């Protein structure tokens, strides 16, 4: 299963609403996770099962979608949110990741 | 507190072998599936392999199949990745990751800090 993220690069300002999409090459129900990775650090899970916010993750993050089309939304971008975001499917081996979306400061 | 600490990364020549370890603590290691993920310099994340709770299911990415072997020692709370016939394209940071119970239809809820493998002559 291939995951296509868009955009691959995003320039935004603090306070902006940001939306990242992830499209699967075949249906994966709701078995999609979103991760945030900052430079030199390990990824951190933000959302599981397409829309379940992980404990400790700010409520400005939200996820939606099912089947083949998924969205990660940051409602009001904060300075600490500038990072690279990845989607991942764990329905079928190999457990593929999307190509990533780098969110940078405008 | 859950901790995953990778070790064993090194500089190695093409064709060589290396074994990575991931020492787990803060949870009942034998009760969780585990995985390895790698990230080449400046690139995205690539899932490498996973191992089931019982160790009997061990899928691999096509890029490493037949060259890498994942294993676990529940008595030592340690995950391993034996890598052989290494190629330049295996150069990456290797992360171990803990699955939320099983990996399939779940997610990786904890990650180690990574260990660097450089394959070069």
């Amino acid at each position: 299963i291939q995951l296509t993220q868009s955009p691959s690069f995003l320039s935004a300002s603090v306070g902006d609403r940001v939306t990242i999409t992830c499209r699967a090459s075949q249906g994966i129900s709701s078995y999609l996770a979103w991760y945030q990775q900052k430079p030199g650090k390990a990824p951190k899970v933000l959302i599981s099962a397409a829309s379940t916010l992980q404990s400790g993750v700010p409520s400005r993050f939200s996820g939606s979608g099912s089947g083949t089309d998924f969205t990660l939304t940051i409602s009001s971008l904060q300075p600490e949110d500038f990072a690279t975001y990845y989607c991942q499917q764990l329905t079928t081996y190999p457990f593929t990741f999307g190509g990533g979306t780098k969110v940078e400061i405008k | 507190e859950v901790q995953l600490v990778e070790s064993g990364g090194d500089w190695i020549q093409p064709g060589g072998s290396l074994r990575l370890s991931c020492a787990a603590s803060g949870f009942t290691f034998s009760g969780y599936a585990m995985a390895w993920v790698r990230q080449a310099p400046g690139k995205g994340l690539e899932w490498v392999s996973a191992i089931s709770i019982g160790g009997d299911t061990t899928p691999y990415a096509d890029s490493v199949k037949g060259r890498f072997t994942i294993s676990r020692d529940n008595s030592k709370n340690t995950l391993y990745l034996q890598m052989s016939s290494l190629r330049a394209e295996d150069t990456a940071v290797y992360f171990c990751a803990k699955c939320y119970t099983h990996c399939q239809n779940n997610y990786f809820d904890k990650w180690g800090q990574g260990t660097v493998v450089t394959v070069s002559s």
Side-chain angles (χ1 to χ4, degrees):
Chain A
I1 298 174
Q2 301 208 10
L3 297 180
T4 303
Q5 271 184 252
S6 61
S8 55
F9 176 85
L10 189 158
S11 182
S13 301
V14 173
D16 283 354
R17 181 182 181 88
V18 166
T19 299
I20 298 168
T21 64
C22 178
R23 176 162 288 174
S25 59
Q26 63 189 75
I28 56 172
S29 185
S30 296
Y31 300 119
L32 187 99
W34 289 97
Y35 301 89
Q36 176 193 65
Q37 187 182 32
K38 296 183 179 179
K41 301 293 186 182
K44 168 190 167 184
V45 63
L46 300 175
I47 287 171
S48 63
S51 61
T52 302
L53 195 67
Q54 291 299 293
S55 175
V57 175
S59 58
R60 62 181 178 272
F61 291 91
S62 64
S64 65
S66 67
T68 60
D69 293 305
F70 301 86
T71 299
L72 173 70
T73 299
I74 309 172
S75 60
S76 177
L77 200 64
Q78 298 301 301
E80 60 267 31
D81 301 336
F82 291 96
T84 301
Y85 295 85
Y86 295 92
C87 57
Q88 184 197 21
Q89 68 83 20
L90 294 98
T91 298
T92 307
Y93 303 122
F95 294 151
T96 42
F97 289 91
T101 297
K102 187 173 184 179
V103 178
E104 289 200 342
I105 302 172
K106 183 183 286 185
Chain B
E1 180 194 2
V2 171
Q3 282 203 319
L4 299 170
V5 180
E6 301 94 334
S7 60
D10 204 349
W11 174 86
I12 191 157
Q13 293 189 331
S17 297
L18 203 59
R19 188 177 81 160
L20 306 183
S21 300
C22 171
S25 61
F27 66 103
T28 305
F29 179 74
S30 60
Y32 294 87
M34 301 291 293
W36 288 97
V37 175
R38 69 183 181 183
Q39 187 168 37
K43 302 297 184 183
L45 301 171
E46 179 188 17
W47 173 79
V48 172
S49 183
I51 187 165
S52 61
I53 292 172
D56 53 333
T57 301
T58 55
Y60 296 92
D62 286 345
S63 58
V64 307
K65 199 172 295 182
R67 300 187 298 122
F68 289 13
T69 302
I70 191 172
S71 63
R72 64 190 299 160
D73 185 337
N74 290 340
S75 68
K76 295 183 178 179
N77 292 341
T78 303
L79 175 72
Y80 300 102
L81 185 68
Q82 179 68 48
M83 306 186 294
S84 61
S85 302
L86 282 162
R87 307 166 181 167
E89 54 265 36
D90 295 319
T91 295
V93 177
Y94 284 74
F95 297 99
C96 74
K98 170 184 169 290
C99 298
Y100 184 76
T101 61
H102 306 280
C103 293
Q104 201 153 14
N105 296 336
N106 277 304
Y107 57 99
F108 298 162
D109 64 348
K110 296 294 180 185
W111 297 64
Q113 84 291 347
T115 188
V116 178
V117 173
T118 303
V119 184
S120 173
S121 55

